[in-house]
Amino acid sequence: MLQHFFFLYKFVLKLLGYPQGHHWKNKSFKYRRYESMADKHTTEELLNTTTTLVFEVEGGLLRSTSLFPYFMLVAFEGGGVLRGLVLFLFYPLICLVGKEMGLKIMVFICFFGIKKGNFVIGRTVLPKFLMEDLGFEGFEVVMRCGRKVGLSELPRVMVEGFLKDYLGVDCVFGRDLKVVCGYFVGLMEEVPPRSRFLMNDVFGERKGDNNLIGFGCSNKILDHQLFSDCKEIYLVTEAEKRRWRSLPRDKYPKPLIFHDGRIAFLPTFPRTLAMIMWVPFGFGLSLLRLIIAISFPYTMSIPMLSFTGMGGRRYIRSTTENNHKKEKKDRGTLYVCNHRTLLDPIYISLAIMKPVTAVTYSLSPLSEFLSPIKTSHLSRNKEKDSKMMDSLLSQGDLVVCPEGTTCREPYVLRFSPLFAEISDEIVPVALDAKVSMFYGTTASGLKFLDPLFFLLNPIGIYHVMILENLLHANVHRELSIETANRVQKQIADALGFRCTNLTRRDKYMILAGNKGVI
């Protein structure tokens, strides 16, 4: 009779979505719906240093149910196209062999032979996609707590940077990878023993004073040592997770300004299949687009490029532009723009339908050779660059990107004030580029591939907004910084972006560990 009752009891719990496993032997467990945490615990209590939230990253934060996209990002961005293709081809087998074995296969494919010291994807590429995959409801639960410990099925190098930098997690438990001679061998260390040693690592001598609260998904076995020590565990079902909303950008705990990588979408298996099918055709199309831009006049190249998917739209907000066109000037016009891709000056040239010269800090010889406009290199010597730009202005129109580097997100980096010292007439130009598959910029990859990846997109859209002219901006040389800040704000306001004091050097130190000199 008791056996039948116990069987019925377990069956009912399973129907209700509650986890089954050895941890049910511990009678101190109290499982609750995650929405009830707000009624059970006050904000002051959760922010107390003696209360710690132990949460599952995949079950309690992310809306996605598959780990494949994150491993594809590691394979493609860290190991190259071939490694990404191997992972894609093996994925059907991975789905058949079981969760643990499938995880080991993906880890081996993605990490074998990767140098540990060069693996920065966990803090340069993955945070963007992890942030976009956060469930708003799960995020609210986690961020209500002052002290947080994250548990992840993913290798720790993939999630630790994101959890600590963006969510303020105190400690992250994930699988460590074996390293030989400084290289990952594609094997994971065994799960740490479930002993007091684990608790000592997290809390030290204060482990007995902590009130542990768990948070995870009801369809997973919460068999980690930390969960077994939780007094309460709050659970979310898969059905509830499917109704979770994505986290709005204005709710991000830290602004996401810089990120790297080529893939511009979360590469789920169907999307990866579409990308693989597109690339051979897209490569031929990118060559056609390049030939059109180089060979045909503006009146012909603009409609032809639009027909191939490289479209754009021009907005003019300059009330004095026509007057200046009628005047005979000894010098060209200085166009000052924010920097989205290497093609910025080309699209400005298409927008005004006139040839321009672009000045740049660094440009690969191949990009310079294939460019349909003139280019000139800055030397980072203020006096020399000022004379060079002044000379170029006397020969024609000049395009300057004072940010010094590209920024993908809706932010405008701090402007270098040099442009405000060489001309009394400045035309701000606000640019925004939209891509559908690949980013045409990189901080740590090969620069000469940047234009190719942008042209490889099925659709690439540019918005060019020619703003109000700034006349006689250089009345006093000491005001050049104020002028630069004014132009930066004018461009940011036109695009709906935010200004930031971060610079080119900041970007490259964060993403590539150098000052951006190539």
Side-chain angles (χ1 to χ4, degrees), residues 334 336-338 361 382 389 400-404 412-423 426-429 467 470 472-493 498-503:
L334 178 63
V336 178
C337 65
N338 59 312
Y361 281 109
K382 184 177 180 179
M389 292 170 65
V400 179
C401 304
E403 286 181 292
V412 181
L413 307 184
R414 192 176 71 193
F415 278 14
S416 169
L418 179 60
F419 72 89
E421 301 176 2
I422 63 171
S423 178
I426 299 170
V427 179
V429 182
L467 307 178
L470 270 69
H472 308 296
N474 188 29
V475 177
H476 303 289
R477 292 181 64 88
E478 65 271 16
L479 298 179
S480 60
I481 294 179
E482 286 79 358
T483 301
N485 292 339
R486 181 151 56 100
V487 175
Q488 178 197 20
K489 187 177 187 305
Q490 185 178 359
I491 291 175
D493 290 344
R498 294 176 60 184
C499 293
T500 174
N501 286 325
L502 297 173
T503 64

Coordinates of all heavy atoms in Angstrom, one line a residue, residues 334 336-338 361 382 389 400-404 412-423 426-429 467 470 472-493 498-503:
L334 N 34.4 70.0 -45.6 CA 34.9 69.0 -44.6 C 33.6 68.3 -44.1 O 32.8 68.9 -43.3 CB 35.6 69.6 -43.5 CG 36.1 68.7 -42.3 CD1 37.1 67.6 -42.9 CD2 36.8 69.5 -41.2
V336 N 32.2 65.5 -41.5 CA 32.6 64.9 -40.3 C 31.5 63.9 -39.9 O 30.3 64.3 -39.8 CB 32.8 65.9 -39.2 CG1 33.2 65.2 -37.9 CG2 33.9 66.9 -39.6
C337 N 31.8 62.6 -39.8 CA 30.8 61.6 -39.5 C 31.2 60.7 -38.4 O 32.4 60.6 -38.1 CB 30.5 60.8 -40.8 SG 31.9 59.8 -41.3
N338 N 30.2 60.0 -37.8 CA 30.5 58.9 -36.9 C 31.0 57.7 -37.8 O 30.8 57.7 -39.0 CB 29.3 58.5 -36.1 CG 28.1 58.1 -36.9 OD1 27.8 58.8 -37.9 ND2 27.5 57.1 -36.6
Y361 N 43.1 56.0 -40.0 CA 44.2 55.6 -39.2 C 44.9 54.4 -39.8 O 46.1 54.3 -39.9 CB 43.8 55.3 -37.8 CG 43.6 56.6 -37.0 CD1 42.3 57.0 -36.6 CD2 44.7 57.4 -36.6 CE1 42.1 58.2 -35.8 CE2 44.5 58.5 -35.8 CZ 43.2 58.9 -35.5 OH 43.1 60.0 -34.7
K382 N 50.1 65.1 -34.6 CA 49.1 66.2 -34.8 C 49.4 67.2 -35.8 O 48.6 67.6 -36.7 CB 48.8 66.9 -33.4 CG 47.7 67.9 -33.5 CD 47.5 68.5 -32.1 CE 46.4 69.5 -32.1 NZ 46.1 70.1 -30.8
M389 N 45.7 67.2 -43.8 CA 44.3 67.4 -44.0 C 44.0 68.7 -44.6 O 43.1 68.9 -45.5 CB 43.6 67.2 -42.7 CG 43.6 65.8 -42.2 SD 43.0 65.6 -40.5 CE 41.3 66.1 -40.7
V400 N 36.1 62.9 -42.7 CA 36.9 62.5 -41.5 C 35.9 61.8 -40.5 O 34.8 62.2 -40.4 CB 37.4 63.8 -40.8 CG1 38.2 63.4 -39.6 CG2 38.3 64.6 -41.8
C401 N 36.5 60.7 -39.9 CA 35.7 60.0 -38.9 C 36.5 60.2 -37.6 O 37.4 59.4 -37.2 CB 35.6 58.5 -39.2 SG 34.9 58.1 -40.9
P402 N 36.1 61.2 -36.8 CA 36.9 61.5 -35.6 C 36.9 60.5 -34.5 O 37.6 60.6 -33.5 CB 36.3 62.9 -35.1 CG 35.5 63.4 -36.3 CD 35.0 62.1 -37.0
E403 N 35.9 59.5 -34.6 CA 35.9 58.5 -33.5 C 37.2 57.6 -33.6 O 37.6 57.1 -32.6 CB 34.7 57.6 -33.7 CG 33.4 58.2 -33.3 CD 32.2 57.2 -33.5 OE1 31.9 56.9 -34.7 OE2 31.7 56.7 -32.5
G404 N 37.8 57.5 -34.8 CA 39.0 56.8 -35.0 C 38.8 55.3 -35.1 O 39.7 54.6 -35.5
V412 N 28.0 56.9 -29.7 CA 29.0 57.7 -30.5 C 30.2 57.9 -29.6 O 30.1 58.5 -28.5 CB 28.5 59.0 -31.0 CG1 29.5 59.8 -31.8 CG2 27.2 58.8 -31.8
L413 N 31.4 57.4 -30.0 CA 32.6 57.5 -29.2 C 33.1 59.0 -29.2 O 32.7 59.8 -30.0 CB 33.6 56.6 -29.7 CG 33.2 55.1 -29.8 CD1 34.4 54.3 -30.2 CD2 32.6 54.6 -28.5
R414 N 34.0 59.3 -28.3 CA 34.5 60.6 -28.2 C 35.2 61.0 -29.5 O 36.0 60.2 -30.0 CB 35.4 60.7 -27.0 CG 35.8 62.2 -26.6 CD 36.6 62.2 -25.4 NE 38.0 61.7 -25.6 CZ 38.8 61.4 -24.6 NH1 38.4 61.5 -23.4 NH2 40.0 61.0 -24.9
F415 N 35.0 62.2 -29.9 CA 35.6 62.7 -31.1 C 37.0 63.3 -30.9 O 37.1 64.1 -29.9 CB 34.7 63.8 -31.8 CG 33.6 63.2 -32.6 CD1 33.2 61.9 -32.5 CD2 32.9 64.0 -33.5 CE1 32.2 61.4 -33.3 CE2 31.8 63.6 -34.3 CZ 31.5 62.2 -34.2
S416 N 37.9 63.1 -31.7 CA 39.2 63.8 -31.7 C 39.0 65.2 -32.2 O 38.3 65.4 -33.3 CB 40.2 63.1 -32.6 OG 41.4 63.9 -32.8
P417 N 39.5 66.2 -31.6 CA 39.2 67.6 -32.0 C 40.0 68.1 -33.2 O 39.8 69.3 -33.5 CB 39.5 68.4 -30.7 CG 40.6 67.6 -30.1 CD 40.3 66.2 -30.4
L418 N 40.8 67.3 -33.8 CA 41.7 67.8 -34.8 C 41.0 68.4 -36.0 O 41.4 69.5 -36.5 CB 42.6 66.7 -35.3 CG 43.6 67.1 -36.4 CD1 44.6 68.2 -36.0 CD2 44.4 65.8 -36.9
F419 N 39.8 67.8 -36.3 CA 39.1 68.3 -37.5 C 38.6 69.8 -37.3 O 38.5 70.5 -38.2 CB 37.9 67.4 -37.8 CG 36.8 67.5 -36.8 CD1 35.8 68.4 -37.0 CD2 36.7 66.7 -35.7 CE1 34.7 68.5 -36.1 CE2 35.7 66.7 -34.8 CZ 34.7 67.7 -35.0
A420 N 38.3 70.1 -36.0 CA 37.8 71.5 -35.8 C 38.9 72.5 -35.9 O 38.6 73.7 -35.8 CB 37.2 71.5 -34.3
E421 N 40.1 72.2 -36.1 CA 41.2 73.1 -36.2 C 41.7 73.4 -37.6 O 42.6 74.2 -37.8 CB 42.4 72.6 -35.3 CG 42.1 72.4 -33.9 CD 43.3 71.8 -33.1 OE1 44.4 71.7 -33.7 OE2 43.1 71.5 -31.9
I422 N 41.1 72.7 -38.6 CA 41.6 72.9 -39.9 C 40.5 73.5 -40.9 O 40.9 73.8 -42.0 CB 42.0 71.5 -40.5 CG1 40.8 70.6 -40.6 CG2 43.1 70.9 -39.7 CD1 41.1 69.3 -41.3
S423 N 39.3 73.7 -40.4 CA 38.3 74.3 -41.3 C 37.3 75.1 -40.5 O 36.9 74.7 -39.4 CB 37.6 73.1 -42.1 OG 36.6 73.7 -42.9
I426 N 32.1 73.1 -41.3 CA 32.0 71.7 -41.0 C 30.6 71.2 -41.3 O 29.6 71.8 -40.9 CB 32.4 71.4 -39.5 CG1 33.8 71.9 -39.2 CG2 32.2 69.9 -39.2 CD1 34.1 71.9 -37.7
V427 N 30.5 70.1 -42.0 CA 29.2 69.5 -42.3 C 29.1 68.1 -41.6 O 29.8 67.2 -42.0 CB 29.0 69.3 -43.8 CG1 27.6 68.6 -44.1 CG2 29.1 70.6 -44.6
P428 N 28.4 68.1 -40.5 CA 28.2 66.8 -39.7 C 27.4 65.8 -40.6 O 26.4 66.2 -41.2 CB 27.6 67.2 -38.4 CG 27.7 68.7 -38.3 CD 27.8 69.2 -39.7
V429 N 27.8 64.6 -40.6 CA 27.0 63.5 -41.3 C 26.8 62.4 -40.3 O 27.7 61.8 -39.7 CB 27.7 63.0 -42.5 CG1 26.9 62.0 -43.2 CG2 28.1 64.2 -43.4
L467 N 23.6 66.8 -41.9 CA 23.1 67.7 -40.9 C 23.4 69.1 -41.2 O 24.1 69.5 -42.2 CB 23.5 67.3 -39.5 CG 23.3 65.8 -39.2 CD1 23.9 65.5 -37.8 CD2 21.8 65.4 -39.2
L470 N 28.1 73.7 -39.8 CA 28.6 74.5 -38.7 C 29.5 75.5 -39.4 O 30.6 75.2 -39.9 CB 29.4 73.7 -37.7 CG 28.6 73.1 -36.5 CD1 27.6 72.0 -37.0 CD2 29.6 72.5 -35.5
H472 N 32.0 78.8 -39.4 CA 33.0 79.6 -38.6 C 33.1 79.0 -37.2 O 33.1 79.6 -36.2 CB 32.5 81.1 -38.4 CG 32.2 81.7 -39.7 ND1 33.2 81.9 -40.7 CD2 31.1 82.2 -40.3 CE1 32.7 82.5 -41.7 NE2 31.4 82.7 -41.5
A473 N 33.2 77.6 -37.2 CA 33.4 76.9 -36.0 C 34.7 77.1 -35.3 O 34.9 76.9 -34.2 CB 33.1 75.4 -36.2
N474 N 35.7 77.5 -36.2 CA 37.1 77.6 -35.7 C 37.5 79.0 -35.4 O 38.5 79.5 -35.9 CB 38.0 76.9 -36.7 CG 39.4 76.8 -36.1 OD1 39.6 76.7 -34.9 ND2 40.4 76.9 -37.0
V475 N 36.6 79.8 -34.7 CA 36.9 81.2 -34.4 C 38.1 81.2 -33.4 O 39.0 82.0 -33.5 CB 35.7 81.9 -33.9 CG1 36.0 83.3 -33.5 CG2 34.6 81.9 -34.9
H476 N 38.1 80.4 -32.5 CA 39.1 80.3 -31.5 C 39.7 78.9 -31.4 O 38.9 77.9 -31.2 CB 38.6 80.7 -30.1 CG 38.0 82.1 -30.1 ND1 38.8 83.2 -30.2 CD2 36.7 82.5 -29.9 CE1 38.0 84.3 -30.1 NE2 36.7 83.9 -30.0
R477 N 40.9 78.7 -31.6 CA 41.5 77.4 -31.6 C 41.3 76.6 -30.2 O 41.2 75.4 -30.2 CB 43.0 77.4 -31.9 CG 43.3 77.9 -33.3 CD 44.8 77.9 -33.6 NE 45.4 76.6 -33.5 CZ 45.5 75.8 -34.5 NH1 45.0 76.1 -35.7 NH2 46.0 74.6 -34.4
E478 N 41.3 77.4 -29.2 CA 41.1 76.7 -27.9 C 39.7 76.1 -27.7 O 39.5 75.4 -26.7 CB 41.4 77.7 -26.7 CG 40.4 78.8 -26.6 CD 40.8 80.0 -27.4 OE1 41.7 79.9 -28.3 OE2 40.3 81.1 -27.2
L479 N 38.8 76.4 -28.6 CA 37.5 75.9 -28.5 C 37.3 74.6 -29.4 O 36.2 74.2 -29.6 CB 36.4 76.9 -28.9 CG 36.4 78.2 -28.0 CD1 35.3 79.1 -28.6 CD2 36.1 77.8 -26.6
S480 N 38.3 74.1 -29.9 CA 38.2 72.9 -30.8 C 37.6 71.7 -30.0 O 36.8 71.0 -30.6 CB 39.6 72.5 -31.3 OG 40.5 72.2 -30.3
I481 N 37.9 71.5 -28.8 CA 37.3 70.4 -28.0 C 35.8 70.6 -27.9 O 35.1 69.6 -28.0 CB 38.0 70.2 -26.7 CG1 39.5 69.9 -26.8 CG2 37.3 69.2 -25.8 CD1 40.3 69.7 -25.5
E482 N 35.4 71.8 -27.6 CA 34.0 72.1 -27.4 C 33.3 71.9 -28.8 O 32.2 71.4 -28.8 CB 33.8 73.5 -27.0 CG 34.1 73.8 -25.5 CD 35.6 73.9 -25.2 OE1 36.4 73.8 -26.2 OE2 35.9 74.1 -24.0
T483 N 33.9 72.3 -29.9 CA 33.4 72.1 -31.2 C 33.2 70.6 -31.5 O 32.2 70.2 -32.0 CB 34.2 72.7 -32.3 OG1 34.4 74.1 -32.0 CG2 33.6 72.5 -33.7
A484 N 34.2 69.8 -31.2 CA 34.2 68.4 -31.4 C 33.0 67.7 -30.6 O 32.3 66.9 -31.1 CB 35.5 67.7 -31.0
N485 N 32.9 68.2 -29.3 CA 31.8 67.7 -28.5 C 30.4 68.1 -29.0 O 29.5 67.3 -29.0 CB 32.0 68.2 -27.0 CG 33.2 67.6 -26.4 OD1 33.7 66.5 -26.8 ND2 33.7 68.3 -25.3
R486 N 30.4 69.3 -29.6 CA 29.1 69.7 -30.1 C 28.7 68.9 -31.4 O 27.5 68.5 -31.5 CB 29.2 71.2 -30.5 CG 27.9 71.8 -31.1 CD 27.8 73.3 -30.7 NE 29.0 74.0 -31.2 CZ 29.0 74.7 -32.3 NH1 27.9 74.8 -33.1 NH2 30.1 75.4 -32.7
V487 N 29.7 68.6 -32.2 CA 29.4 67.8 -33.4 C 29.0 66.4 -33.0 O 28.1 65.8 -33.6 CB 30.6 67.8 -34.3 CG1 30.4 66.9 -35.5 CG2 30.9 69.2 -34.9
Q488 N 29.7 65.8 -32.0 CA 29.4 64.5 -31.5 C 28.0 64.4 -31.0 O 27.2 63.5 -31.4 CB 30.4 64.1 -30.4 CG 30.1 62.7 -29.8 CD 30.8 62.5 -28.4 OE1 31.1 63.5 -27.8 NE2 30.9 61.3 -28.0
K489 N 27.6 65.4 -30.2 CA 26.2 65.4 -29.7 C 25.2 65.6 -30.8 O 24.1 65.0 -30.8 CB 26.1 66.5 -28.7 CG 24.7 66.5 -27.9 CD 24.6 67.5 -26.8 CE 23.4 67.3 -26.0 NZ 22.1 67.4 -26.8
Q490 N 25.5 66.5 -31.8 CA 24.6 66.7 -32.9 C 24.3 65.4 -33.7 O 23.2 65.1 -34.0 CB 25.2 67.8 -33.8 CG 24.2 68.2 -35.0 CD 24.8 69.3 -35.8 OE1 26.0 69.8 -35.6 NE2 24.1 69.7 -36.8
I491 N 25.4 64.7 -33.9 CA 25.2 63.4 -34.7 C 24.5 62.4 -33.8 O 23.6 61.7 -34.3 CB 26.6 62.9 -35.1 CG1 27.2 63.8 -36.1 CG2 26.5 61.4 -35.6 CD1 28.7 63.4 -36.5
A492 N 24.8 62.3 -32.6 CA 24.2 61.3 -31.7 C 22.7 61.6 -31.6 O 21.8 60.7 -31.6 CB 24.8 61.3 -30.3
D493 N 22.3 62.9 -31.4 CA 20.9 63.3 -31.3 C 20.1 62.9 -32.6 O 19.0 62.5 -32.5 CB 20.8 64.8 -31.0 CG 21.2 65.1 -29.6 OD1 21.4 64.2 -28.8 OD2 21.5 66.3 -29.3
R498 N 23.6 57.5 -28.0 CA 24.1 58.2 -26.8 C 25.6 58.5 -26.9 O 26.3 57.7 -27.5 CB 23.9 57.3 -25.5 CG 22.4 57.0 -25.2 CD 22.3 56.1 -24.0 NE 23.0 56.5 -22.8 CZ 23.1 55.8 -21.7 NH1 22.6 54.6 -21.6 NH2 23.7 56.3 -20.7
C499 N 26.0 59.6 -26.4 CA 27.4 60.0 -26.4 C 28.1 59.3 -25.3 O 27.6 59.0 -24.3 CB 27.6 61.5 -26.3 SG 26.9 62.5 -27.7
T500 N 29.4 59.0 -25.6 CA 30.2 58.4 -24.5 C 31.6 58.9 -24.6 O 32.1 59.4 -25.7 CB 30.3 56.8 -24.7 OG1 31.2 56.3 -23.8 CG2 30.7 56.5 -26.1
N501 N 32.4 58.9 -23.5 CA 33.7 59.4 -23.5 C 34.8 58.3 -23.9 O 36.0 58.6 -23.9 CB 34.1 60.0 -22.1 CG 33.4 61.3 -21.9 OD1 33.3 62.1 -22.8 ND2 33.0 61.5 -20.6
L502 N 34.3 57.1 -24.2 CA 35.2 56.1 -24.6 C 35.8 56.4 -26.0 O 35.2 57.0 -26.8 CB 34.5 54.7 -24.6 CG 33.9 54.2 -23.3 CD1 33.1 53.0 -23.5 CD2 35.1 54.0 -22.3
T503 N 37.1 55.9 -26.2 CA 37.8 56.2 -27.4 C 38.3 55.0 -28.1 O 38.0 53.8 -27.7 CB 39.1 57.0 -27.0 OG1 40.0 56.2 -26.2 CG2 38.7 58.3 -26.2

